[in-house]
């Protein structure tokens, strides 16, 4: 293999100094001259009719510049999902009714936050309460309160705008059902018939919050002279944001510019379009002043999306030797009062598990049900944590029941490189077997498993997988590059840095292809005006898709350099080397020119050509348009990442407290563009997974989130994190990824949750099927067992 | 729903602010404004509650401007005197406390994070009167008192009696706490404070147990026992039945478990009763053992 000089190195982050010194600007920090502060009035009821809204008193308050209700803007719909089958169901401001506590009802813009807050208290809303429903299984029953009327789209849906020929239809939620997914392959009945052991278990997973450090915020500035919006957002990709802003505000898409700002963490929680973003824009256009709406942590908990609540029934049939014959899954998703990403998560809970085990017969039924609760969207792994906890817990139990080693059982059923999945996706690389062996060896699995119960210690394993970008929008990713007069390059790409190290990785990829150092790449990222199209940093397509576009842009520039230099220096192209901002002949290093000279000469000799490059990439190049969310058919992605985590825990049997002692990971990210960043991603997922496994849950009572603060919503503290998180790189060099790289942002969180739950089982013999494993729950399980 | 429903930290609401120079002045201000005035000490409870709009006092009386309220001293006759302005960290680090009153140091250290302890006072911790106030259980075990000054004079009262209900203390109109008084631990005594937060970090305790046990000279029999439960009732509470179970007896595993069971039955948790009672039982066993090693 070729030796690399920039990729594969743990270089320090290009944004490191700016962040460490506090100079990096996050949207939450931003202020513009003459700026107003926006605040939002929210519904206090889970389900109620709006009879009247009186804003007269609020408008009179000195310092208030605008008050806005649905009357001012009409029923403006939006949604993460807006397909021919599922039209967008959310509203920028509630019109005739509210459907969850925290829903946006009105907003004000004022000269200070305090005045805006005071104005909110002066808005009088008359509600008529309606019966509400909170439990998805109840919401599905006949006679349950109907949360939505028929939704009739009044314009083409997003997918039509993006080139799908099918027309948007109206949607009537029968029995509050907002999404259905039915997938499978093989013959499930035959599979169970051929099984020698069958187990069925039901698992419950609560909502969690994403816990990005920077709360949600939008700053919008309408420029009336150019009829254009400038917006600063905390987000995960500008294409979807500006599409929805343009649509809601009824301006051409080119009149919305999403500016670059650093994003203080995202974890899936900032993908969705949000009412506060539209409201900042509406208020700015009304007042002709910049308007900023920065939400509080409590608002983030209540109104900025949660991870999906799931009830998952898993039935698995195996042979006595552990060979999986059949698996049937029935999943109920409770996305809350609006659809959120329900149709997507229902598909993904299956899609992310498909590449792991070779299950010849599978059936997966998913159904999403509206309830009067806060809305759910992706959180790091989008459905994989929920399903991985369920399936991996059950497989563990099956191994236990049959007297098999759970790691061996997994190894036996793993897919391998070259496998073609039922939908046609191919595993061009797959480090599952190598990974589990490595993790077992490093953690001392064989010596430890089943041997710590007298010491209250246990060890457990979890496995998960992730897409590398997906075929879901017409958006691919593109990048452009220019050579600068000093021989450096400027790279323009849409990828957004939200802490994952995207800016650094993109720069490394470009630098490698051009034989220059990281400092020689000047990066312009995440500005929708300056950068070309980009699919956004979710579904983990950052490196695999945008990174490949960047690599191709750099290759394109390199080719132009080689072409010019070979003519100018009279050297064959394959004899030329690019290094340290110079190009020279390998055979005769005297024959050389600096990139700076090259640019000047190219301009002179080639009619002004300054050397500009471009590159582009699409998640599944072979496929034209859309696969089916509801059936899961069609090609989805071009590569899968695999994660294995082994956890060791100690359980205090008297207080129910679980202490995670050590986490060992084996991560197949293809090839680590920046090994330190890869380790950072895995560690952060391990810690988030620890939070999911032991602490995190949104507690909702009668539609009200009762723990919307960091005092009451528990995340791991420093002392809860094990001193040792051991990350092992499993290098598989995926042929489709830039330098063999895949993704590393999303799958080990799922593996960590399952591993910790399985380790608790190993330590205690308790199989807890509901997350999180709080001290109370563990203690209760002990007490139940004693009885 | 607006901000007050969401209870996030807003800017402080408007209030009038006083900086009295004497205790008498402070008391007369408190007296004058009756229920509308509140004492401001470290502010770690008070200002947070105000920012959340849980309370909006019209007047704040900042007692930090009163000289001579910040002291920690031993009176030479068996009493530790802690001024109302002594911070938890000052108490924990004071030489006399470390040497002669280690359980007071423990009570101070286990009440909050290093940063908040730099400004939070022990008097404030008691006056705030939360069921989970971490300095209370050991102070009650030790028989500590608070000295209360009012417009008409002063009085002292056991910390045990000072807690009246959740967030309600025994102060009358125009009164404030000026001092905490802790008697020395009798010979052959030891104690411990165990709190059980949900996580390893300094969460509010789900349940806590403080205990001080005095043995006879031969360390054979329990002469006196104090067991105080935190966060299991509207106020920190003595587990009298548990105390009586071991008083005058020789401790063994069976007796300790019996006492712990009694404590768990005495507890009156309003939420999650099964869980909290079991934790009381477990922590009481551990506390008795640790106090009698
Ligand atoms: C991050 C954080 C962590 C914390 N962790 C803990 C913890 O682990 N355990 C724990 O027990 N507490 C904890 N606390 C709560 C708090 O720090 C303590 O209760 C503290 O001791 C209160 O003292 P203060 O001086 O700040 O009181 P203040 O906030 O100034 O006052 C508290 C109350 O007492 C009244 N008051 C104060 N002094 C007097 C007086 N001399 N006479 C009459 N009334 C008075 C005030 O009017 C007010 O009602 C924490 C707080 C924070 C912010």
């Amino acid at each position: 293999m070729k030796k690399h000089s920039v990729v594969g190195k743990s270089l320090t982050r290009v944004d490191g100094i700016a962040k460490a010194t506090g100079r990096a600007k996050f949207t939450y920090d931003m202020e513009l001259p003459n700026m107003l502060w926006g605040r939002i009035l929210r519904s206090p009821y889970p389900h109620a009719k709006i009879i009247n809204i009186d804003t007269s008193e609020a408008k009179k308050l000195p310092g208030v510049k605008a008050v806005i209700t649905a009357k001012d803007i009409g029923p403006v719909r939006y949604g993460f999902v807006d397909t021919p089958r599922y039209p967008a169901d959310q509203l920028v401001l509630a019109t005739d009714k509210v459907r969850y506590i925290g829903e946006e009802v009105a907003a004000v813009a004022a000269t200070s936050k305090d005045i805006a807050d005071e104005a909110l208290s002066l808005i009088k809303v008359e509600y008529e309460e309606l019966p509400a429903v909170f439990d998805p299984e109840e919401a599905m029953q006949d006679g349950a309160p109907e949360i939505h009327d028929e939704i009739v789209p009044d314009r083409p849906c997003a997918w039509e705008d993006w080139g799908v020929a099918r027309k948007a239809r109206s949607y009537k939620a029968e029995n509050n059902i907002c999404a259905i997914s039915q997938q499978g392959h093989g013959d499930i009945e035959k599979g169970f018939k051929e099984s020698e052991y069958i187990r069925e278990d039901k698992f419950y997973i609560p909502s969690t919050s994403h816990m990005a450090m920077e709360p949600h915020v939008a700053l919008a500035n309408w420029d009336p002279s150019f009829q254009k919006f400038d917006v600063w957002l905390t987000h995960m990709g500008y294409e979807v944001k500006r599409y929805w802003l343009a649509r809601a505000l009824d301006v051409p898409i080119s009149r919305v510019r999403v500016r670059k700002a650093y994003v203080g963490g995202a974890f899936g929680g900032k993908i969705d379009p949000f009412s506060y973003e539209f409201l900042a824009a509406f208020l700015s256009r009304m007042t002709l002043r910049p308007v900023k709406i920065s939400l509080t942590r409590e608002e983030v908990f209540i109104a900025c999306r949660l991870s999906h609540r799931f009830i998952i029934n898993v039935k698995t049939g195996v042979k006595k030797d552990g060979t999986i014959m059949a698996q049937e899954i029935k999943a109920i998703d409770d996305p809350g009062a609006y659809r959120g990403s329900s149709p997507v998560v229902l598909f993904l809970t299956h899609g992310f598990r498909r590449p792991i085990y070779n299950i010849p017969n599978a059936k997966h039924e998913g159904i999403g049900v509206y309830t009067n609760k806060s809305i759910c969207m992706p959180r790091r792994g989008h459905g994989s944590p929920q399903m991985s906890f369920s399936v991996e817990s059950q497989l563990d139990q099956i191994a236990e029941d049959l007297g098999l080693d759970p790691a061996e059982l997994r190894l036996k059923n793993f897919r391998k490189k070259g496998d073609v999945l039922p939908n046609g996706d191919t595993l061009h690389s797959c480090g599952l077997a190598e990974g589990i062996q490595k993790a077992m060896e490093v953690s001392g699995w064989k010596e430890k498993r089943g041997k710590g119960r007298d010491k209250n210690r246990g060890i457990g394993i979890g496995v998960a997988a992730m897409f590398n970008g997906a075929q879901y929008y017409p958006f691919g990713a593109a990048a452009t590059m220019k050579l600068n007069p000093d021989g450096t390059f400027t790279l323009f790409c849409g990828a957004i840095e939200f802490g994952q190290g995207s800016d650094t990785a993109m720069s490394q990829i470009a630098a490698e292809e051009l034989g220059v150092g990281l400092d020689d790449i000047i990066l312009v990222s995440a500005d929708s005006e300056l950068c070309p199209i980009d699919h956004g940093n979710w579904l983990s397509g950052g490196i695999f898709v945008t990174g490949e576009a960047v690599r191709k842009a750099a290759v394109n520039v390199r080719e132009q350099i080689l072409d010019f230099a070979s003519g100018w220096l009279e050297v064959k192209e394959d004899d030329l080397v690019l290094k340290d901002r110079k190009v020279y002949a390998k055979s005769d290093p005297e024959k050389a020119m600096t990139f700076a000279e090259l640019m000047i000469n190219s301009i002179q000799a080639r009619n002004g050509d300054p050397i500009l490059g471009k590159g582009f990439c699409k998640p599944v190049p072979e496929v034209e348009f859309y696969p089916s969310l509801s059936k899961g058919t069609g090609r989805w992605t071009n590569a899968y990442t695999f994660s294995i985590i082994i956890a060791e825990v100690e359980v205090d049997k008297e207080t129910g407290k679980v202490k995670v002692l050590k986490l060992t990971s084996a991560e197949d990210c293809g090839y680590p563009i920046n090994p330190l960043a890869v380790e950072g991603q895995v560690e952060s997922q391990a810690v988030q997974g620890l939070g999911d496994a032991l602490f995190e849950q949104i507690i909702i009572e009668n539609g009200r989130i009762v723990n919307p603060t960091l005092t009451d919503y528990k995340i791991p503290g420093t002392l809860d994190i094990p001193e040792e998180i051991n990350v092992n790189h499993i290098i598989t060099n995926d042929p489709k990824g830039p330098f063999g790289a895949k993704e590393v942002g999303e799958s080990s969180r799922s593996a960590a949750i399952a591993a910790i739950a399985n380790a608790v089982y190993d330590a205690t013999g308790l199989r807890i099927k509901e997350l999180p494993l709080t001290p109370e729950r563990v203690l209760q399980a002990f007490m139940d067992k004693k009885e | 729903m607006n901000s007050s429903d969401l209870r996030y930290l807003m800017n402080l609401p408007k209030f009038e602010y006083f900086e009295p120079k004497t205790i008498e002045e402070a008391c007369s201000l408190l007296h004058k404004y009756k229920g509308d005035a509140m004492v401001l000490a470290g502010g770690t409870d008070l200002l947070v509650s105000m920012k959340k709009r849980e309370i909006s006092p019209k007047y704040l009386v900042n007692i930090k401007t009163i000289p001579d309220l910040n002291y920690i001293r031993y009176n030479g006759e068996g009493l530790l005197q802690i001024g109302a302005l002594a911070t938890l960290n000052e108490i924990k680090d004071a030489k006399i406390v470390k040497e002669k009153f280690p359980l007071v140091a423990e009570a101070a250290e286990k009440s909050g994070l290093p940063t908040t302890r730099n400004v939070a006072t022990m008097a404030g911790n008691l006056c705030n009167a939360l069921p989970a106030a971490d300095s209370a259980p050991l102070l009650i075990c030790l028989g500590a008192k608070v000295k209360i000054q009012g417009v008409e004079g002063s009085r002292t009262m056991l910390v045990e009696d000072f807690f009246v209900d959740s967030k309600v203390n025994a102060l009358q109109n125009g009164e404030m706490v000026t001092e905490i008084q802790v008697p020395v631990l009798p010979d052959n005594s030891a104690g411990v404070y165990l709190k059980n937060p949900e996580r390893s970090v300094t969460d509010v305790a789900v349940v806590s147990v403080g205990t001080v046990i005095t043995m006879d000279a031969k360390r054979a029999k329990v002469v006196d026992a104090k067991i105080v439960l935190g966060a299991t009732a509207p106020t920190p509470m003595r587990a009298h039945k548990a105390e009586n179970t071991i008083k005058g007896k020789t401790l063994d595993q069976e007796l300790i478990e019996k006492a712990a069971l009694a404590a768990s039955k005495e507890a009156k948790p309003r939420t999650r009763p099964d869980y909290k009672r079991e934790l009381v039982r477990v922590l009481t066993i551990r506390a008795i053992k640790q106090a009698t090693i």
Side-chain angles (χ1 to χ4, degrees):
Chain A
M1 204 174 68
K2 208 179 118 213
K3 249 192 89 61
H4 299 138
S5 49
V6 190
V7 300
K9 302 265 180 304
S10 292
L11 303 178
T12 39
R13 304 174 63 110
V14 296
D15 52 345
I17 292 175
K19 281 180 175 164
T21 55
R23 287 183 164 264
K25 277 272 180 251
F26 296 81
T27 305
Y28 221 84
D29 306 323
M30 295 270 312
E31 287 191 25
L32 292 177
N34 220 16
M35 187 181 90
L36 299 174
W37 292 91
R39 297 284 298 146
I40 295 171
L41 187 72
R42 301 176 179 281
S43 164
Y45 297 112
H47 200 190
K49 252 193 216 153
I50 299 175
I51 307 294
N52 186 41
I53 306 179
D54 177 1
T55 59
S56 53
E57 289 302 311
K59 280 182 178 152
K60 280 186 218 151
L61 187 71
V64 171
K65 299 295 170 191
V67 182
I68 183 173
T69 69
K71 272 209 190 105
D72 304 294
I73 57 171
V76 182
R77 287 211 188 262
Y78 71 96
F80 178 71
V81 173
D82 187 31
T83 64
R85 181 188 170 105
Y86 298 124
D89 58 359
Q90 280 171 258
L91 289 156
V92 170
L93 283 172
T95 44
D96 49 348
K97 75 180 194 169
V98 287
R99 296 176 174 85
Y100 73 96
I101 293 178
E103 184 162 4
E104 298 81 1
V105 174
V108 299
T111 48
S112 80
K113 259 196 237 184
D114 283 3
I115 295 175
D117 270 325
E118 201 181 332
L120 292 186
S121 63
L122 297 174
I123 299 175
K124 293 186 200 75
V125 188
E126 206 183 312
Y127 293 102
E128 180 189 316
E129 275 193 79
L130 296 168
V133 59
F134 308 114
D135 179 305
E137 287 175 306
E138 275 172 32
M140 276 191 288
Q141 304 301 321
D142 288 338
E146 255 186 33
I147 298 177
H148 286 271
D149 296 332
E150 182 165 14
I151 292 165
V152 186
D154 54 1
R155 67 174 311 292
C157 69
W159 280 29
E160 278 181 270
D161 287 343
W162 296 335
V164 170
R166 277 183 293 138
K167 287 265 168 283
R169 284 173 280 154
S170 63
Y171 191 89
K172 175 78 191 85
E174 303 294 346
N175 291 44
N176 290 313
I177 289 167
C178 68
I180 288 181
S181 168
Q182 280 183 316
Q183 309 173 54
H185 54 265
D187 180 342
I188 191 77
E189 267 153 43
K190 183 165 151 275
F192 280 121
K193 254 188 223 129
E194 288 168 5
S195 300
E196 292 163 350
Y197 181 69
I198 297 175
R199 231 195 117 89
E200 195 168 344
D201 296 283
K202 200 168 179 183
F203 298 89
Y204 297 84
I205 300 97
S207 269
T208 59
S209 181
H210 302 77
M211 283 301 116
M213 263 204 268
E214 184 191 26
H216 291 53
V217 55
L219 167 57
N221 190 19
W222 170 250
D223 182 341
S225 33
F226 293 97
Q227 295 282 301
K228 187 168 177 181
F229 282 110
D230 261 327
V231 295
W232 287 260
L233 306 170
T234 186
H235 69 109
M236 303 173 67
Y238 51 62
E239 296 297 357
V240 166
K241 294 286 182 188
R242 68 173 178 160
Y243 168 82
W244 280 105
L245 278 164
R247 186 167 143 180
L249 277 293
D250 199 18
V251 294
I253 195 159
S254 56
R255 300 290 148 166
V256 179
R257 176 177 183 179
V258 182
R259 296 269 195 161
K260 155 93 178 185
Y262 283 113
V263 174
F267 313 113
K270 295 174 178 176
I271 295 175
D272 209 2
F274 290 99
S275 283
Y276 70 84
E277 295 168 338
F278 302 119
L279 290 169
F282 275 114
L283 288 167
S284 174
R285 194 163 59 185
M286 282 164 79
T287 57
L288 302 183
R289 288 170 71 164
V291 174
K292 180 173 172 182
I293 302 184
S294 27
L295 303 193
T296 65
R297 177 62 62 186
E298 291 73 6
E299 286 180 290
V300 173
F301 273 109
I302 286 165
C304 294
R305 317 301 182 245
L306 302 166
S307 69
H308 284 270
R309 298 166 276 257
F310 262 102
I311 303 170
I312 297 175
N313 197 82
V314 190
K315 184 177 165 192
T316 306
V318 297
K319 291 276 191 202
K320 285 254 159 66
D321 68 355
T323 307
I324 305 175
M325 299 306 295
Q327 188 165 72
E328 184 175 11
I329 283 166
K330 291 198 174 100
I332 298 175
D333 170 39
D334 167 9
Y338 295 90
R339 186 177 281 119
S341 62
S342 188
V344 186
V345 79
L346 288 178
F347 158 66
L348 289 177
T349 44
H350 184 58
F352 289 153
R353 301 291 313 172
R354 210 157 40 190
I356 303 173
Y357 301 112
N358 185 4
I359 302 176
N361 308 292
K363 189 170 167 199
H364 179 117
E365 278 176 6
I367 149 166
V369 191
Y370 287 130
T371 57
N372 292 106
K373 301 208 291 277
S374 297
I375 307 164
C376 298
M377 278 290 290
R379 181 179 173 201
R380 207 173 199 179
H382 202 188
S384 169
Q386 295 91 325
M387 191 56 77
S388 299
F389 164 66
S390 308
V391 171
E392 292 287 309
S393 290
Q394 192 190 56
L395 283 181
D396 216 67
Q397 193 58 49
I398 288 174
E400 181 75 19
D401 297 349
L402 296 178
L404 304 169
D405 180 312
E408 298 290 348
L409 179 139
R410 286 172 170 84
L411 189 54
K412 185 176 204 74
N413 290 286
F414 274 159
R415 289 192 185 275
K416 55 188 190 313
K417 181 176 164 179
D419 277 8
V420 178
L421 308 187
N423 72 320
D425 284 351
T426 303
L427 303 184
H428 299 290
S429 65
C430 173
L432 280 171
E434 191 190 333
I436 203 166
Q437 277 152 353
K438 181 81 188 177
M440 286 167 74
E441 181 196 311
V442 173
S443 65
W445 171 265
K446 289 271 178 208
E447 302 83 71
K448 288 179 182 163
R449 196 189 90 77
K451 309 218 170 62
R453 279 192 197 169
D454 52 334
K455 295 188 287 294
N456 300 334
R457 291 203 175 190
I459 189 164
I461 193 164
V463 185
M466 176 46 62
F467 283 14
N468 279 247
Q471 180 66 21
Y472 58 111
Y473 287 135
F475 313 132
T480 57
M481 273 191 104
K482 63 175 184 178
L483 173 57
N484 294 318
D486 57 2
T488 62
F489 300 90
T490 303
L491 166 66
F492 301 84
C493 83
I496 181 150
E497 173 64 61
F498 45 61
Q500 82 281 47
S502 167
D503 279 359
T504 308
M506 297 304 163
S507 304
Q508 280 182 276
I509 289 171
E512 182 69 47
E513 286 292 359
L514 291 160
V516 295
L518 197 57
D519 290 347
D520 299 321
I521 303 294
I522 288 103
L523 178 71
V524 176
S525 64
D527 183 313
S528 70
E529 199 67 72
L530 304 178
C531 306
I533 197 162
D534 190 86
H535 61 154
N537 285 69
W538 63 78
L539 265 166
S540 281
I543 291 287
F544 196 76
V545 185
T546 308
E548 178 64 4
V550 166
R551 195 188 67 80
K552 284 179 171 166
V555 167
N556 182 241
V557 168
R558 191 183 63 200
E559 282 165 0
Q560 295 178 52
I561 289 173
L562 290 173
D563 179 51
F564 185 82
S566 94
W568 193 269
L569 301 171
E570 295 177 339
V571 178
K572 282 217 186 93
E573 274 189 32
D574 57 15
D575 189 25
L576 286 173
V577 180
L578 274 64
K579 197 160 188 283
D580 301 335
R581 288 196 256 162
K582 281 201 292 272
V583 51
Y584 62 89
K586 218 181 306 171
S587 55
D588 179 5
E590 294 287 284
K591 287 194 172 169
M593 71 195 302
T594 65
F595 290 171
E597 289 163 346
L598 188 138
M599 179 167 179
I600 292 167
N601 290 325
S602 171
I603 289 170
Q604 294 301 328
R606 286 192 167 174
N607 200 20
D609 182 353
I611 312 277
L612 302 169
K614 72 170 178 189
F616 40 81
C617 179
K618 183 166 165 290
V620 189
E622 304 87 340
V623 175
E624 252 179 281
F625 270 110
Y626 298 84
S628 162
L629 269 178
S630 53
K631 295 192 208 73
T633 49
R635 291 286 317 281
W636 282 95
T637 185
N638 238 11
Y640 290 88
T641 281
F642 299 98
S643 302
I644 286 150
I645 289 206
I646 290 180
E648 290 170 60
V649 304
E650 189 175 83
V651 182
D652 182 332
K653 293 188 177 173
E654 292 179 337
T655 61
K657 275 200 216 178
V658 177
K659 171 96 189 129
V660 178
L661 304 171
K662 185 178 165 186
L663 293 163
T664 305
S665 123
E667 182 75 10
D668 164 20
C669 73
Y671 173 81
I673 297 288
N674 186 319
L676 192 63
V678 166
E679 287 152 30
Q681 284 293 305
V682 175
E683 284 166 12
S684 83
Q685 294 191 72
V687 172
Q688 281 192 340
L690 190 159
D692 295 300
L694 303 182
F695 305 120
E696 294 186 45
Q697 57 178 330
I698 295 288
I699 302 169
I700 304 181
E701 287 169 7
N702 292 324
R704 183 178 297 276
I705 295 178
V706 296
N707 59 339
T709 68
L710 283 168
T711 320
D712 298 323
Y713 179 90
K714 314 280 181 194
I715 60 171
T718 326
L719 297 175
D720 300 304
I721 298 169
E723 269 171 50
E724 208 181 328
I725 303 179
N726 189 323
V727 182
N728 297 282
H729 299 278
I730 305 299
I731 295 174
T732 55
N733 288 308
D734 193 277
K736 307 269 179 178
F739 303 102
K742 298 192 281 191
E743 76 81 51
V744 67
E746 289 197 78
S747 76
S748 35
R749 172 176 167 235
S750 311
I753 301 169
I756 291 168
N758 289 337
V760 169
Y761 176 84
D762 189 43
T764 63
L766 297 173
R767 179 67 60 193
I768 297 171
K769 298 178 191 174
E770 183 168 6
L771 287 177
L773 278 58
T774 57
E776 183 174 4
R777 208 162 261 154
V778 173
L779 195 58
Q780 189 63 52
F782 270 118
M783 294 197 282
D784 292 348
K785 200 173 146 189
K786 267 191 224 148
E787 276 164 16
Chain B
M1 172 191 283
N2 59 33
S3 33
S4 53
D5 301 312
L6 277 174
R7 305 201 326 174
Y8 61 83
L9 299 187
M10 301 167 66
N11 290 339
L12 281 171
K14 289 206 179 70
F15 55 85
E16 220 175 302
Y17 173 76
F18 297 101
E19 293 192 343
K21 294 286 173 294
T22 62
I23 295 173
E24 291 69 33
E25 200 189 327
C27 291
S28 69
L29 283 165
L30 291 169
H31 185 71
K32 183 170 166 196
Y33 296 114
K34 292 212 175 76
D36 292 335
M38 288 185 87
V39 170
L40 171 67
T44 59
D45 280 319
L46 182 64
L47 299 181
V48 177
S49 304
M50 287 172 69
K51 287 185 173 192
K52 286 187 187 166
R53 299 292 187 272
E54 289 167 348
I55 48 171
S56 295
K58 289 201 189 109
Y59 308 94
L60 285 193
V61 180
N62 184 358
I63 59 170
K64 276 176 297 194
T65 51
I66 301 175
D68 308 327
L69 259 185
N70 184 0
Y71 55 85
I72 300 161
R73 62 179 176 234
Y74 182 54
N75 76 349
E77 295 166 22
L79 208 61
L80 178 72
Q81 298 172 311
I82 301 172
L85 288 177
T87 66
L88 292 162
N89 269 348
E90 284 165 348
I91 296 166
K92 154 178 116 43
D93 294 333
K95 198 157 160 272
I96 180 73
V97 178
K98 275 199 222 164
E99 282 169 5
K100 238 176 144 57
F101 297 89
L103 292 179
V104 175
E106 180 173 345
E109 183 165 17
K110 288 184 175 169
S111 300
L113 310 163
T115 43
T116 50
R117 290 199 310 257
N118 277 331
V119 285
T121 62
M122 191 176 261
N125 191 255
L126 298 179
C127 289
N128 204 46
L130 285 182
D134 280 314
S135 68
L138 277 180
L139 289 178
I140 294 173
C141 289
L142 292 167
K145 291 180 176 168
V146 283
K147 189 173 167 202
I148 296 169
Q149 177 84 41
V151 275
E152 315 227 296
S154 70
R155 57 185 178 130
T156 56
M157 173 184 249
L158 282 173
V159 172
E160 185 177 344
D161 300 329
F162 185 67
F163 284 79
V164 175
D165 200 347
S166 177
K167 300 192 189 173
V168 182
N169 61 34
L171 292 176
Q172 303 289 321
N173 186 28
E175 285 186 330
M176 63 175 275
V177 169
T178 56
E179 186 177 284
I180 300 168
Q181 304 174 338
V182 195
V184 238
L185 201 59
D187 288 343
N188 300 318
S189 301
V192 72
Y193 178 60
L194 299 179
K195 70 189 248 192
N196 187 71
E198 209 122 334
R199 296 171 290 185
S200 314
V201 295
T202 344
D203 271 332
V204 176
V206 179
V207 155
S208 67
V209 176
T211 183
V212 170
I213 293 174
T214 307
M215 305 294 283
D216 63 9
K218 283 183 258 154
R219 303 190 62 80
K221 278 203 170 77
V222 174
V223 176
D224 195 12
K226 297 270 169 52
I227 298 173
V228 176
L229 314 179
T232 50
T235 64
M237 61 168 279
R238 289 271 298 275
H240 289 289
K241 286 195 184 129
E243 291 173 359
N244 290 336
T245 308
I246 57 173
K247 262 192 231 167
K249 306 245 170 69
T250 303
L251 288 177
D252 57 23
Q253 180 68 22
E254 200 182 327
L255 191 68
I256 294 174
E257 289 195 10
K258 210 172 140 199
L261 195 64
S264 80
K265 285 189 178 145
E266 282 175 272
K268 305 184 200 77
R270 278 178 299 179
T271 56
R272 306 194 277 174
D274 294 349
Y275 174 50
K276 287 193 169 191
R277 281 184 205 280
E278 176 62 10
L279 284 180
V280 166
R281 197 185 67 79
V282 168
L283 293 194
T284 305
I285 294 174
R286 291 181 182 180
I288 295 174
K289 284 186 178 168
Q290 286 183 36
T292 50
I293 283 171

